[in-house]
Amino acid sequence: MKAVIPAAGLGTRMLPVTKTQPKEMLPILNKPAIHYVVEEAINSGCDDILIITGRTKRAIEDYFDRSPELEEFLKKKGKEKELEEIRRISEMANIMYVRQKEPLGLGHAVLLAEKFVGDEPFAVLLGDDIIVSEEPTTRRMIDLYNREGAPVIAVMPVERDDTKRYGIIKPSNLSRPPVYTVDDLVEKPAPEEAPSNLAIVGRYLLTPEIFTYLKNISRGKGNEYQLTDALKLFAFSRKLLAMEIKGVRLDIGSPESWLKANIYMGKRSGII
Ligand code: G1P
């Protein structure tokens, strides 16, 4: 299975640090956020990964690349453990890159993966959404896809007031947790307009048909091309499933959520 990791967003809620630092490279403990996302893809069986980057995102490419000077330095100093870790990162997976030239939204970013994807189903993992769980979420989604033969998006229940921060699904009346049939989706609705409290988390298991829909949407919320709008068109004519995540979702999009993510991981690893 191939995986696509969109990481081209500008991270405006984290300015000024994101002026020169990709938000996906912000640390959760001593690893950048995107490291955890790439690990989830690999642990789910995805070896070929396409990261969609943009201007100011070169640190991501450097991070997953070899670092000969650093390796030499660590070798000379006898720092074997660090050397092994640094090498492991550059050999984690087969990673390719494509740049989104303009910030035209997640829908536009995913469309850039069309050639890479070919005609097989593929996973999309947003580079700034981390899910801490025993079984990788993408792996569970692949299993569901294999059982049901329909694309799957990951969801989680949120407070009514928070619907404006997420894509929200309208589940069919007949479906029951943790798997829903999706009748409709709305990108970042006000609480009174939200069709449910089930929010899209940054994980999608899609088929190449989505590209046809992505080519047919116009600009939506925030004047950007939204993946949610393409999925909405898809759900009107095809079967689309949503699956509740297990575990904890960490968001690094704002100073508060980034700090909470670090505290959570610090406690989990026993550092604090
Ligand atoms: C994107 C999606 C949204 C989803 C969210 C999850 O929004 O458009 O539907 O709920 O990711 O993180 P963003 O946070 O990139 O604005």
Side-chain angles (χ1 to χ4, degrees):
M1 176 87 52
K2 290 178 179 173
V4 175
I5 303 185
L10 295 180
T12 46
R13 284 180 301 148
M14 279 303 262
L15 280 168
V17 67
T18 43
K19 191 179 166 204
T20 53
Q21 173 79 345
K23 72 173 162 185
E24 297 78 9
M25 287 300 291
L26 294 175
I28 304 291
L29 303 187
N30 61 343
K31 286 188 206 159
I34 196 166
H35 184 122
Y36 298 90
V37 178
V38 168
E39 265 178 351
E40 180 186 324
I42 294 167
N43 294 338
S44 303
C46 306
D47 297 323
D48 286 326
I49 298 176
L50 179 74
I51 301 185
I52 301 170
T53 65
R55 272 192 292 284
T56 79
K57 301 279 184 172
R58 280 176 62 175
I60 298 176
E61 294 178 34
D62 290 342
Y63 182 78
F64 291 107
D65 199 357
R66 288 293 295 267
S67 186
E69 298 85 3
L70 178 60
E71 286 175 26
E72 195 54 37
F73 177 83
L74 294 172
K75 208 170 166 185
K76 272 194 192 140
K77 293 270 177 195
K79 294 191 181 267
E80 290 301 326
K81 199 170 137 263
E82 288 83 354
L83 180 62
E84 199 186 303
E85 170 89 28
I86 292 299
R87 283 219 178 114
R88 202 180 58 81
I89 291 168
S90 63
E91 287 159 5
M92 272 170 90
N94 180 25
I95 304 184
M96 282 159 266
Y97 300 89
V98 63
R99 272 169 85 127
Q100 188 184 26
K101 290 181 187 146
E102 288 175 86
L104 293 177
L106 181 58
H108 177 261
V110 172
L111 192 49
L112 295 175
E114 187 175 16
K115 272 211 179 114
F116 166 82
V117 162
D119 48 17
E120 297 288 318
F122 64 105
V124 175
L125 299 85
L126 300 194
D128 55 354
D129 259 340
I130 296 164
I131 303 170
V132 185
S133 58
E134 243 164 65
E135 195 186 348
T137 303
T138 300
R139 159 65 49 204
R140 293 180 57 223
M141 294 168 78
I142 294 171
D143 289 347
L144 183 60
Y145 172 84
N146 286 339
R147 280 202 307 276
E148 299 288 331
V152 185
I153 52 183
V155 293
M156 65 177 184
V158 295
E159 298 289 329
R160 274 272 159 188
D161 268 358
D162 285 339
T163 57
K164 54 185 179 300
R165 294 174 44 211
Y166 301 95
I168 301 292
I169 67 158
K170 177 172 188 253
S172 132
N173 289 337
L174 299 171
S175 44
R176 294 279 168 271
V179 176
Y180 308 86
T181 303
V182 179
D183 280 350
D184 197 1
L185 305 89
V186 195
E187 181 67 6
K188 306 198 172 94
E192 60 278 12
E193 277 151 23
S196 77
N197 70 336
L198 290 169
I200 303 172
V201 189
R203 299 292 183 271
Y204 309 79
L205 204 287
L206 303 174
T207 51
E209 282 100 55
I210 196 65
F211 296 119
T212 312
Y213 295 91
L214 283 168
K215 286 172 195 161
N216 280 312
I217 51 170
S218 24
R219 288 178 191 246
K221 200 89 187 178
N223 203 28
E224 292 181 349
Y225 294 97
Q226 297 291 349
L227 178 57
T228 303
D229 291 343
L231 289 166
K232 181 189 183 84
L233 294 181
F234 184 97
F236 286 164
S237 53
R238 318 284 283 263
K239 185 170 162 191
L240 177 65
L241 298 173
M243 186 198 79
E244 272 187 47
I245 61 165
K246 283 185 190 158
V248 176
R249 180 234 183 200
L250 305 175
D251 165 35
I252 53 148
S254 70
E256 187 197 358
S257 63
W258 172 79
L259 189 57
K260 278 189 182 156
N262 271 286
I263 293 170
Y264 177 85
M265 291 298 261
K267 284 190 174 151
R268 194 168 185 269
S269 66
I271 291 178
I272 54 170

